[in-house]
Amino acid sequence: MKRLIVGISGSSAVIYGIRLLEKLASREDIEVHLVISQAARMTIGIETDYSAEQVEGLADVVHNNKNIGASIASGSFKTAGMIVVPCSMKTLSGIANSYAENLIIRAADVMLKERRQLVIVPRESPLHTGHCELMLKASQIGAIICPPAPAFYTEPKTVDDIINHSVARVLDLFDIESDSLKRWQGNV
């Protein structure tokens, strides 16, 4: 069984993290470990019709973001990697600077030190130079930066189509197939 860690931080667009969890919840071959920041809990209530408890119900294991002694805080706990979706600039800063003040950042740091896949889905716009430097630094130390950029060759009809495609692209980075990914077939 593949283990995957999902961190949802307090940026706008928590729906990306929720949709990712929904896609993974149907997979019996993937054990999902979830960490939600306090700010993300607030944002879930503001931006969606979900409660934080409903979101937690989509994961196999839920960890308290304050518990830096959790299993996922150790490199000896084997995982396929981690996705931070959405990733606030505060969380990105913690990751890029190895400032592991909470479990999301500590687990991300473990992914980097163990050379495991870490995908960061930053959600901020516009970006100033400091944001760009943080993304560059995170990339230089091994993270994959995957902004939720819509693909219009898919001819999306709804916001859900855009969300689903972005989430499918993130899952693709872990070789997890999603039926909502319409692949480019070339200019025919």
Side-chain angles (χ1 to χ4, degrees):
M1 174 172 295
K2 184 184 283 193
R3 285 184 184 143
L4 198 58
I5 302 168
V6 176
I8 300 179
S9 72
S11 174
S12 182
V14 291
I15 191 62
Y16 286 109
I18 295 168
R19 187 61 44 81
L20 180 86
L21 290 169
E22 289 173 338
K23 296 284 184 190
L24 293 172
S26 64
R27 302 285 305 253
E28 292 184 16
D29 60 330
I30 301 172
E31 179 181 280
V32 177
H33 288 252
L34 174 64
V35 187
I36 303 176
S37 74
Q38 192 60 39
R41 289 178 179 285
M42 181 185 72
T43 307
I44 288 167
I46 293 169
E47 292 185 349
T48 75
D49 292 330
Y50 295 87
S51 68
E53 292 75 24
Q54 288 172 310
V55 174
E56 289 175 338
L58 296 169
D60 297 298
V61 180
V62 177
H63 300 276
N64 185 310
N65 196 32
K66 294 178 184 175
N67 182 12
I68 59 168
S71 58
I72 62 173
S74 173
S76 67
F77 187 77
K78 296 291 274 184
T79 68
M82 180 176 184
I83 304 163
V84 183
V85 54
C87 185
S88 68
M89 290 298 115
K90 177 182 177 181
T91 299
L92 175 62
S93 179
I95 293 168
N97 292 294
S98 304
Y99 186 69
E101 71 169 349
N102 61 47
L103 186 56
I104 292 175
I105 299 168
R106 172 60 188 164
D109 195 53
V110 167
M111 296 304 107
L112 294 170
K113 78 179 188 73
E114 298 292 330
R115 305 296 191 260
R116 296 183 190 145
Q117 193 94 309
L118 172 62
V119 175
I120 296 172
V121 183
R123 225 307 301 149
E124 187 63 71
S125 183
L127 299 166
H128 61 63
T129 303
H131 297 151
C132 295
E133 288 175 346
L134 288 170
M135 285 187 276
L136 173 62
K137 187 172 183 180
S139 177
Q140 288 173 329
I141 60 176
I144 296 172
I145 310 300
C146 186
F152 290 100
Y153 69 83
T154 63
E155 299 177 350
K157 305 290 187 259
T158 66
V159 172
D160 268 353
D161 291 342
I162 294 169
I163 293 166
N164 288 337
H165 183 80
S166 292
V167 166
R169 291 287 291 135
V170 169
L171 290 173
D172 218 27
L173 294 170
F174 289 89
D175 292 323
I176 299 170
E177 287 294 325
S178 174
D179 58 359
S180 59
L181 181 59
K182 182 177 178 185
R183 297 186 184 280
W184 174 250
Q185 300 300 314
N187 191 9
V188 180

